[in-house]
Every structure is written in structure tokens, then in C-alpha cells.
Amino acid sequence: MWSSRWMFVLAAAGSAVGLGNIWRFPYITGENGGGAFVLIYLVCIALVGIPIMMAEVMIGREGRQSPVNTMRGLIQQHHQHRGWVLIGWAGLLAGFLILSFYAVIGGWAFKYILGLAGGGFTDATAGQATGTFDAFLSRPWEMLFWHTLFMVVVVAVVSRGVVKGLETAIRWIMPLLFVLLAVLLGYGVTSGGFGQGWAFMFRFDWDALTDRALFEALGHAFFTLSVGMGAIMAYGAYVPSSVSITNTVVTIAVLDTVVALVAGLAIFPIVFANGLEPGQGPGLLFVTVPLAFGQLPLGALFGAVFFILVSLAAITSAISLTEPALAYLVEEYNAKRSRVAITWGAGCWLLGIGTVLSFNEWAEFHIVGDMTIFSFVDYVTQNIMLPLGGLFIALFAAFALPKSVLGNQLGLTGPVARKLWLVLAGLTAPLGVLVVFLVTIIGLESVKAWFAG
Ligand code: TRP
């Protein structure tokens, strides 16, 4: 059990705030042309992400076991179809797949702690920062080393059990990360590129909106909130009954969104001030941030601290990716937590080698279209598995659980509040997912044409 409401907020925020906010959000915003993408992402957080996150915490707290067993228990208790348990199983698979590449990028963050501490970026030009990153990507053994180290750290932490490790770590990681992002933001404001960066993120140009941007914005909303695979459900199992789910979830979502927006507002001015390409892809964070710190006084020190914090934020997120699986295996087989953690971690590590090689030796090996192993795993998990998982989680919470559970868990006593929740979880969230899927299948161009008559 978390020791207080605040501890759960910190743990869930620790799960939510991670590479998704600081690395993934800026780079996919860049790839998808900015403004319209950001707006859709925000709408998806509010109308789809938040209700689904509430559903996850509620289901977890009602079942009080690992997601698979929580689903089994609730299905039995309320005489629902056994197929619902797939929510649990699909979540284990999604967590496994996501961690496989998450650990590789976490490894990049580790590498950049040393890279900055060494002073290699002091007064570097944009060309030098880009060159350093590209050179790193071309060295698979070095990437494998950092990938391995990241996985070892995660396994070591989760072997001890989540609560102890997390509670102490998160207390100071999050506030510090915030302070350093603010420093970067301050730099962005004075860099000369702020106006352009701001416009890039917040000017909505509907014509620039593409199917892909729509689809990715939805997928990213799930990814950044950690919902759709049971991680929050697993954490929800440890939430004291007195805690208000609604307040807590909204707090976490706001925190998560603010971190992402601040990261974007810090990074895009650096991009424009230095003539870099916003759509350059996964390297965006690792080129812009070292560049900025390289021009700041004590930049080597603060830059290293920044990447330490990014690494820690990545670790607290990675921990939550393992929790549904570890909790299940420990429960079901009465296994030792450390043994389960090592086996699971080893499997993720092995698959992660595919991501390591996607950036060099196997860059030309495509699974479908022009997707490398990395982009394929990233795409299938974020854009398909998480939204589908979330869709069924919302439907289960809204329609399979009796109204009394709803009332008790969410503290929704009034008929108005209850209706509102049912509309959000039973209607807007599932519909949001379905509409985005449909539009992607039909093609946004035809939809636009149809509306235009
Ligand atoms: N939300 C984390 C991030 O933004 C990643 C993450 C942790 C996650 N747990 C998850 C994503 C569960 C999806 C599902 O970095």
C-alpha cells in the first residue's frame, strides 16, 4: 500500500513523466509539424486519456491484485465474459515490447550524462552536436553497453519491490527535473528562437494536419500517461480506499502535460535559433539540449545533472512497465520477485538488441514499409496496442462493472456526476479511439473532402 495519497500521485507521476515527455513528445511534435498535432494531443489527453486513467485506477483498486488476476476476479464476481481478461494479457505483452526499446533510449540518456560531464559540448556548433549523436548511433556495441546498464538498474530496483524503491527516489527527482527544465526554458526564451518555437507548437494550421499526426497524437496521449496496458491498474491496486481517484488522476495528467509542454518550449527555440531541423527524429533531444548547455555557464555540470534526471525519470517509468507482469508472476507462481525480474528483464534486453541495431547495422532491414525493428515495435505498441487496450478498459469500467462499484470507487454520489463519468468513459473515450482509427483507415483527405461537400 502506498503510504499516502501524495505517494501515489508521485509514483503514478513517476510512471507518466519519462522519456515520453522529454524525448518522444518534442520529436514527434517536430515530425508532425507542430501546432495541430499538439492541439489534438491535448484533446486526447482530456477526453480520452483522463477517463481511461480513472478507469484503470478504479479497476485496480477494486481488484487489488495484478491486472490479470484483478480482471479474472472482477469477471467472476460480476459474471462477465471471460474474454475481458485479454486486457490483462495484452498489457503484459505491451509492457514487454515497450520496455525493450525504452531501455535503449534510457541508455542514450545514461551515455549523455558522461558526454556532458566531459565538457565535450562546450561551445559546440549545431553541426558538432549532430555529428556527435550520429557517431554514437553508429556504434552498436557502445549502445548495447548503455542499454544493458539501464536494464540492469531497472531489474535491480524492481527486485526489491516497487514501493520502497520508488517512494524515496521520486520525492526529489520530480521537483529537481522541473527546476532544470525551467532553466532550459529560460535559455530558450533568451535564445532568439522563442517566438518561432512558440508559433511552431501553438499555431494551429488545419491544412497541415495529416492522418499520421492524428493517429500519433492519440497513441502518444496513451503512452505519455502510461495508460492502456495495466501499469496504472497495477499501481491502483496499492491505492488506499480513502483517496479521491478523480482529483488524483487529474493532478497526474496536468503534471505530465505541463512537463511535456515545457520540454517542447525549451527545445524548439534551440532548434530554430540554431537552424536545426524540427523533424529530425529521435535524436532531437540529444542534439538540442547538449547544444544549449554547451553555451551556458557551468553547462557541463548542469547538463550532466539534466541527463541524470532524465535517466531517473526513465527508470521510474520503466519500473511501471514491468509491474503488471512481475506482480502477476509473483502472485501466480509464488515465485521470488528477484528471479522473475531477472528473467523478464533478460527477455526485454534481448528484444532490445533489435532496437539497438535499428540505428546502425540493421537500419536497412525493414519489417513492413520503411519501418525498422524500432519503429515497428514503437508503432504497434503506441498506436495500436495501447489505444485498443484503453478502449476495452474504458468499456469494462463503464458497462461491465455494476453502478455500485462506480459510486464507491469514484465517490460519484450524485446522478449528474455519475452520468458525466459514464459519458466520458463509456462514450467519448471509446469513440475517440474509434474515430481516430476509422479516419486513419479511410484517410483524412477523404474525410476533409466529405466535410467540404
Ligand atoms: N509514460 C512513460 C513516459 O512517458 C512511459 C511508460 C511508463 C508507459 N509506463 C507505461 C507507457 C505504460 C505506456 C504504458 O515515458
Side-chain angles (χ1 to χ4, degrees), residues 14 49 92 94 98 122-123 144 153 172 175 227 239 258 269 314 343 345 348 389 407 452:
L92 300 197
I98 295 173
T122 309
D123 292 323
L144 183 66
V153 172
W172 54 274
V227 297
V239 176
V258 169
T343 318
C348 284

Side-chain angles (χ1 to χ4, degrees), residues 125 264 279 307 316 361 380 428:
T125 62
F307 278 102
T316 55
E361 306 297 322
V380 171
T428 62

Side-chain angles (χ1 to χ4, degrees), residues 15-16 18-21 98 102 222-227 229 231 317 320-321 386:
S15 165
L19 296 170
N21 309 61
I98 295 173
Y102 205 86
F222 280 89
F223 185 79
T224 192
L225 291 180
S226 303
V227 297
M229 55 74 67
S317 298
S320 76
L321 282 164
L386 296 179

Side-chain angles (χ1 to χ4, degrees), residues 241-257:
S241 326
S242 56
V243 167
S244 155
I245 293 182
T246 315
N247 292 347
T248 315
V249 164
V250 171
T251 310
I252 295 163
V254 168
L255 210 80
D256 185 73
T257 307

